Amino acid sequence: DAGVTQSPTHLIKTRGQHVTLRCSPISGHKSVSWYQQVLGQGPQFIFQYYEKEERGRGNFPDRFSARQFPNYSSELNVNALLLGDSALYLCASSLQDNQPQHFGDGTRLSIL
Amino acid sequence: EDQVTQSPEALRLQEGESSSLNCSYTVSGLRGLFWYRQDPGKGPEFLFTLYSAGEEKEKERLKATLTKKESFLHITAPKPEDSATYLCAVRGTAQGAQKLVFGQGTRLTINP
């Protein structure tokens, strides 16, 4: 079975641009969460979506937004990119609310 | 606010030398403590979930235990392929979302 897939794997942007990152959950998983991982740190929660509704939001500015589609795939959008947005962006999916989350290999975003 | 602290930050062992990694946490109502393994350039790989104090889980050379304030990941007779960063995360009842709060990780190196 395919795991969580994310695209693209790497991305280079300049300050002020916007970016869209994509995630396909494990088949049958309806919950998708997004995390930001800065080098040397643990992942930080950004959003969770379940059945296309936002269930939670972390301490990130309004420049970050996300959505979930009818097929449960998800997009993370970041506007007005800053140098500090350089990080590994991870997507995780789970079958139900209290089940373990399974992560993709992330999108490495570099801001120049 | 939920918090997770992992120690040590880095640990070097010889092959076969057993040791333990620590995860101390504060959480408002524990709904699960999770251990993940992360290899360089990859997303976190799920290892264990623990739900209540006294619970233990085992997988190959790894054993996770849980008390009311901390969790330990014991590694017995490790091999070089066990080298990775080990992440601990908690989920509390304070938020409705499936938010995981991660520690900064322990970078484990096993020398042959």
Side-chain angles (χ1 to χ4, degrees):
Chain A
D1 280 348
V4 177
T5 57
Q6 293 187 243
S7 63
T9 54
H10 295 87
L11 205 48
I12 299 175
K13 292 285 189 178
T14 57
R15 282 178 296 175
Q17 287 188 309
H18 72 272
V19 69
T20 299
L21 311 180
R22 295 177 175 82
C23 170
S24 292
I26 293 170
S27 178
H29 286 196
K30 299 180 179 180
S31 173
V32 170
S33 298
W34 287 94
Y35 291 80
Q36 180 195 66
Q37 187 176 24
V38 173
L39 201 60
Q41 299 294 319
Q44 265 200 297
F45 175 77
I46 310 175
F47 286 110
Q48 186 218 348
Y49 278 78
Y50 183 78
E51 289 277 18
K52 294 163 284 180
E53 289 189 6
E54 182 183 303
R55 283 285 193 88
R57 174 186 285 255
N59 294 327
F60 282 81
D62 291 343
R63 299 185 295 108
F64 289 76
S65 64
R67 56 180 176 167
Q68 187 177 32
F69 299 99
N71 66 354
Y72 303 111
S73 67
S74 178
E75 281 183 355
L76 176 70
N77 294 284
V78 187
N79 293 325
L81 288 166
L82 303 173
L83 292 176
D85 295 331
S86 295
L88 179 67
Y89 288 85
L90 295 162
C91 175
S93 75
S94 67
L95 193 59
Q96 292 175 4
D97 240 9
N98 208 29
Q99 295 294 311
Q101 294 180 38
H102 298 272
F103 286 81
D105 285 337
T107 295
R108 172 72 60 189
L109 176 63
S110 300
I111 310 300
L112 303 179
Chain B
E1 188 175 324
D2 300 345
Q3 255 186 321
V4 175
T5 303
Q6 292 186 245
S7 61
E9 286 189 12
L11 182 61
R12 281 185 177 274
L13 300 172
Q14 290 299 121
E15 184 173 1
E17 181 185 0
S18 302
S19 188
S20 297
L21 312 182
N22 177 263
C23 170
S24 297
Y25 65 91
T26 54
V27 65
S28 53
L30 182 68
R31 294 189 65 181
L33 184 140
F34 302 83
W35 282 98
Y36 287 86
R37 168 194 170 125
Q38 188 172 26
D39 292 301
K42 299 287 187 179
E45 175 190 347
F46 171 72
L47 294 174
F48 303 110
T49 309
L50 302 166
Y51 291 104
S52 56
E55 193 175 355
E56 298 183 352
K57 294 270 180 76
E58 277 189 75
K59 180 181 178 181
E60 296 180 355
R61 295 177 291 284
L62 298 176
K63 178 179 175 180
T65 62
L66 181 65
T67 73
K68 288 187 178 178
K69 292 184 179 180
E70 56 192 351
S71 176
F72 292 93
L73 185 65
H74 307 277
I75 181 160
T76 304
K79 299 181 178 182
E81 53 261 41
D82 295 321
S83 297
T85 295
Y86 289 86
L87 295 164
C88 172
V90 296
R91 185 182 172 207
T93 57
Q95 296 91 17
Q98 199 182 37
K99 170 184 176 180
L100 292 180
V101 175
F102 282 86
Q104 80 279 19
T106 292
R107 193 171 61 255
L108 178 65
T109 304
I110 308 298
N111 295 315

